[in-house]
Structure formats: structure tokens, C-alpha cells
Amino acid sequence: MFLGIDVGTGSTRALLIDRSGKVIASHTADHAPISSPHIGWAEQDPEDWWRAAKEAIAQVAPNQNIEAIGLTGQMHGCVMLDASGQVLRPALIWCDQRTQPECDWLHDKIGRDRLIELTCNPALPNFTLTKLLWVRKHQPDIFARIAHVLCPKDYVRFRLTGEYAIDMQEASGTLLLDVTHRRWSREVAEAAAIPMSWLPQLYEGPEICARIATDIAGLKAGTPVVAGAGDQGAGAVGMGILAPGSVSATIGTSGVVFAATSSPTKDPQGRLHTFCHAAPNIWHVMGVTNGAGLSLRYLRDTFFPTSTYDELTALAEQVPAGSDGLLWTPYLFGERTPHLDPNARASFTGITASHTRGHFVRAVLEGVAMSLQDTFTLFAQLGIPVNRIRLGGGGARSPLWRQVQADVYNHPVELLQAEEGGAFGAALLAGTGVGAWPTVEAACEATIRPASTVAPANAPAMAAAYARYRGAYPALKNLYAG
């Protein structure tokens, strides 16, 4: 048995699989809501992740012969610990947008082009380093007490094992990793005045980096723990996205289009992230929409609080492709790909008196898919091949959203027999780490099974809608400029 633990944004999930890839047990424990005391802020309490992790693990681990454990989770979050391992303040998480001034400072200090050369990425508010710099400027008393910096899943690993460790894929999203050479960038750390001693030990995804310290939540002391990966890297492993040409489009709270590459492929403008993959000697590029599944949840919670998602999509099914001209731009937390703009704002445009509730729902589904199509547009510009698209997340579980994606991408999309997300990929990394499979690729071959394919049915209508969508951001940008 192999255990995958996914410390997500809204919950922590524990998933137990066997060597065939069969799911033996799983449990999800919800987190407290994101704290956003000011516009653009997003914080969570690491102790709440630990509470949820123990709860989820305790439901699946007891009386099981668990050979190894892998972790994954939301990326970029900044967990600051003192010398005794105590949390110093709530973590600034991936969708926090307050740090644009720190991004500008880094570009001035290092040079934007030089930073991309060193880390394969420009400074963005989402990245861990910019959050550290914000704390240094605004909370110097807390900054002075920092001894260790971790990402969310790595904090849970620390609580399980007592070890400070991180994997290459997760570390790529800190803006402190030399992604090309798979090592910490001393030049960036020194320019930002971040002590190298704060940074955890680096490991490849399937490497054993720690062991369970004491019996806890049904886990036995001494059980090996591999490094794992951030949610996108582990999710890609769980979908078999390891060879060039293989691409996933995943709609969770955020949305990600993820392509494996044999070498680090850089976008000179920094609109795509270039990271190490969860498997050794592989890299990946990805574009990110901050408010993907979050858009549908926002619509439901704000305007249809008594409706289920199934009821909302049933309304949307009555509306033609293109939503009769209604558009949604999903920039609820600013936007990453392709705009790199923390001040971008969400909007409905083209509203008429003829539009119904179903139009608004369908416009959200289409707008999220069109925001992901922006990444496919960049892939085409940079010569990144797209041979196969596999769908993941909530966007793969909705028949309508699957069809919308096939139509918007104008490409057949593939579904898996069981798409279990990042926790499944983390469990495969765990099994690889203890030799159940010789490589991550072999683990995927042994356990991942395609189920069906959805072909485009309304591509011309969605191409016309996408052309209008591309005009919405530049038309509205000046209304929200900081």
C-alpha cells in the first residue's frame, strides 16, 4: 500500500492505493476558509492543515500495511518557522496578490531578464520569495525570527517527520531555485538577502527524504516518506503527463495547462512557468488561471446559494455554445497567464435583457476554458507540441465542462478511468521511491488507464467567442490599473 497526502487549498485528502493503482481508501478533511482581510490578500493557518491532515490520515491509515508515503499540495505558499519549528504567522498562500511592489523591487535589483535566466521565471506575486520580502518590509519583527521557510505540504511533512525537506518541482515555484540545474540559486538568495540556511534540503520527487518520527494518526514510526511534488507536478504524474507532447488541462480552484518537456523551455516574457517536473531529468511548462473552479463556486455561493452544481449546469445545457455573446473573464484574484497582472479583475460583459441564469453559468464555464486556451495559444507560439490533452479536476467530472473544453481547445480531450488528482500521483512517487516500480514512467504505465475521448462539437462558435474574449482584457485593463 502507498499513501498519498494532498494538502490542498480547501481541504487535505489522504488516498491509499495498491500496486495495481486501485484506490483502497480515501478521506478528505476540509480546511477553514481562506482569510482575506484586505483586497488581494489570501492567508491560511498551517496548524489547520496539520489538523486536517491528521484527520484525513486517521481515516485511511489504521491497520494498513503502508510501505511509503508521498506528499503534494497547493504550491507557492510561504510558511515561516522560528528556530524551534513554531509557526510565526499565517501563511501567505498561492493566490495572495499583495506583493507586486516586491516583484518590482526584485526586477530592479536583479534585472528581469537575469532573473528569468537564473530561475526560468519572472517575479510574480504568487511566488514564495516575494511573500518573504513583503514580510521583511511590513513585519520586520517576524522576519527577524525566521529560521526555516517551507511550502504547505512540506510543513505537514515536517510535523510528521521532523525533517525540513522540499522537492525540485515545488522548489521551482519559490523563485529561489536554479530550475535549469536543479539546485538552489545562491545568486538570487544573496541578492534578496535570504539566508541559504532557511531553505530546506532539496530532493527529487521519488527520493526518500524522511521517515515518520513516531506512531501518529495510524502511521507507524519509520515509514519512508518521499519528497513528492507540488499539486501540479503530482497531478501530472497521476495523469501520466511525462513525455513531450502530453498535456493536461486541470480545473480545480485554479486552472492549469501543463506540458512535459525534455529540457527547460523558457518564455522570454515570463508568461508561462518553467519548472522541474516531479520525475528526475524532466521539466515542464504550465500556464495558470488563478480563478478557474473558483469562478463557478463564486457564482454559486454569491448568486445561487441554494443550488447544486448539477442544477446550475443543467441550466447551462439549455444555452447555445457562445452563451449568446455573454463573456466571463475569470480574474477574481488577478491573473497569471498570460497577463501577469495582479490588478486584473473579473467581469461579465455583453449582458442583455435576454440573458438568463443559464447564460451566466455557461459563460463562466466557457470563460474559464478560454482562459486556459490562452496557454495553448502560447504553446503554439513557442513551438511546444500538443499531441494529447487529458482533463483533470472538477472540469473533467462535469460532462458539459468537458465538452466546452474540447470545443474551446478545438482538440479531442481524453478522460481517465479514475482521475484521482495529486494524491494519486504522490502515492505513485512513494511507490517508486521504495522500488515498487523502477521509474515514475513505469509507475504510470502500470496504473493509469484511459477511459474515453470527447471530440469537439462546437469549435467554430467557440473560436468566434474566443476572439471576442481576447479583446476583453485590454479593453477593461485601464479601469483597474493600480
Side-chain angles (χ1 to χ4, degrees), residues 321-385:
S323 300
D324 289 323
L326 184 63
L327 289 174
W328 166 253
T329 58
Y331 311 141
L332 291 167
F333 276 102
E335 192 52 295
R336 284 199 257 181
T337 307
H339 305 303
L340 304 178
D341 184 359
N343 296 310
R345 293 291 180 262
S347 64
F348 283 108
T349 58
I351 303 171
T352 73
S354 299
H355 287 132
T356 65
R357 293 185 301 163
H359 284 86
F360 283 89
V361 178
R362 186 174 187 114
V364 166
L365 303 182
E366 292 177 345
V368 170
M370 287 189 282
S371 73
L372 298 185
Q373 174 61 19
D374 281 341
T375 293
F376 285 106
T377 299
L378 293 180
F379 283 1
Q381 293 173 5
L382 295 170
I384 297 168

Side-chain angles (χ1 to χ4, degrees), residues 5 108 110 155 214 229 267 296 383 399 482:
I5 302 168
D108 290 341
I110 299 174
Y155 176 72
T214 59
D267 173 20
L296 186 58

Side-chain angles (χ1 to χ4, degrees), residues 33-371:
I34 294 172
S35 173
S36 186
H38 303 282
I39 292 174
W41 289 30
E43 299 183 351
Q44 289 183 311
D45 180 4
E47 291 301 313
D48 190 56
W49 303 331
W50 175 232
R51 172 202 56 78
K54 288 189 293 183
E55 177 183 328
I57 294 166
Q59 293 298 313
V60 303
N63 304 314
Q64 301 287 355
N65 181 26
I66 296 174
E67 297 179 65
I69 300 164
L71 289 105
T72 184
Q74 53 167 301
M75 296 181 65
H76 312 305
C78 185
V79 182
M80 291 154 277
L81 308 178
D82 65 16
S84 64
Q86 297 298 307
V87 174
L88 290 169
R89 72 173 318 283
L92 283 69
I93 65 169
W94 60 274
C95 53
D96 192 286
Q97 295 291 310
R98 77 185 75 174
T99 64
Q100 187 60 49
E102 286 67 37
C103 297
D104 297 338
W105 180 86
L106 275 171
H107 287 155
D108 290 341
K109 176 76 174 179
I110 299 174
R112 191 176 190 275
D113 291 346
R114 178 61 176 164
L115 187 61
I116 292 175
E117 182 181 347
L118 292 168
T119 70
C120 291
N121 298 283
L124 298 177
N126 310 86
F127 290 158
T128 313
L129 175 57
T130 67
K131 296 170 170 60
L132 276 174
L133 297 179
W134 185 91
V135 173
R136 179 171 68 192
K137 180 178 180 180
H138 296 278
Q139 298 175 339
D141 54 329
I142 291 175
F143 188 85
R145 297 168 57 198
I146 296 174
H148 303 279
V149 177
L150 296 173
C151 290
K153 69 136 180 7
D154 303 310
Y155 176 72
V156 171
R157 182 197 347 267
F158 165 68
R159 295 301 300 268
L160 287 169
T161 70
E163 297 292 334
Y164 299 101
I166 193 170
D167 63 278
M168 296 291 178
Q169 197 270 338
E170 179 88 67
S172 301
T174 65
L175 205 64
L176 286 160
L177 191 78
D178 177 346
V179 170
T180 300
H181 300 100
R182 304 173 91 96
R183 65 193 181 198
W184 291 121
S185 173
R186 184 172 293 276
E187 181 174 338
V188 173
E190 289 180 350
I194 300 300
M196 296 291 289
S197 62
W198 290 6
L199 306 181
Q201 181 69 38
L202 282 165
Y203 296 87
E204 293 290 353
E207 272 192 277
I208 296 173
C209 64
R211 294 181 183 272
I212 297 298
T214 59
D215 291 0
I216 188 169
L219 298 177
K220 297 178 181 178
T223 304
V225 179
V226 303
D231 54 0
Q232 298 308 320
V237 169
M239 297 173 69
I241 308 301
L242 291 166
S246 61
V247 178
S248 63
T250 303
I251 296 176
T253 302
S254 63
V256 175
V257 177
F258 182 114
T261 61
S262 57
S263 61
T265 302
K266 302 174 188 176
D267 173 20
Q269 298 182 47
R271 296 165 297 179
L272 296 172
H273 301 334
T274 300
F275 288 174
C276 301
H277 206 321
N281 303 313
I282 306 175
W283 286 260
H284 71 83
V285 291
M286 67 181 188
V288 180
T289 292
N290 285 339
L294 179 65
S295 292
L296 186 58
R297 179 171 180 173
Y298 171 82
L299 183 76
R300 186 200 66 175
D301 292 353
T302 305
F303 299 105
F304 308 105
T306 62
S307 298
T308 66
Y309 289 122
D310 287 344
E311 290 169 343
L312 294 182
T313 54
L315 293 174
E317 286 170 350
Q318 308 306 311
V319 175
S323 300
D324 289 323
L326 184 63
L327 289 174
W328 166 253
T329 58
Y331 311 141
L332 291 167
F333 276 102
E335 192 52 295
R336 284 199 257 181
T337 307
H339 305 303
L340 304 178
D341 184 359
N343 296 310
R345 293 291 180 262
S347 64
F348 283 108
T349 58
I351 303 171
T352 73
S354 299
H355 287 132
T356 65
R357 293 185 301 163
H359 284 86
F360 283 89
V361 178
R362 186 174 187 114
V364 166
L365 303 182
E366 292 177 345
V368 170
M370 287 189 282
S371 73

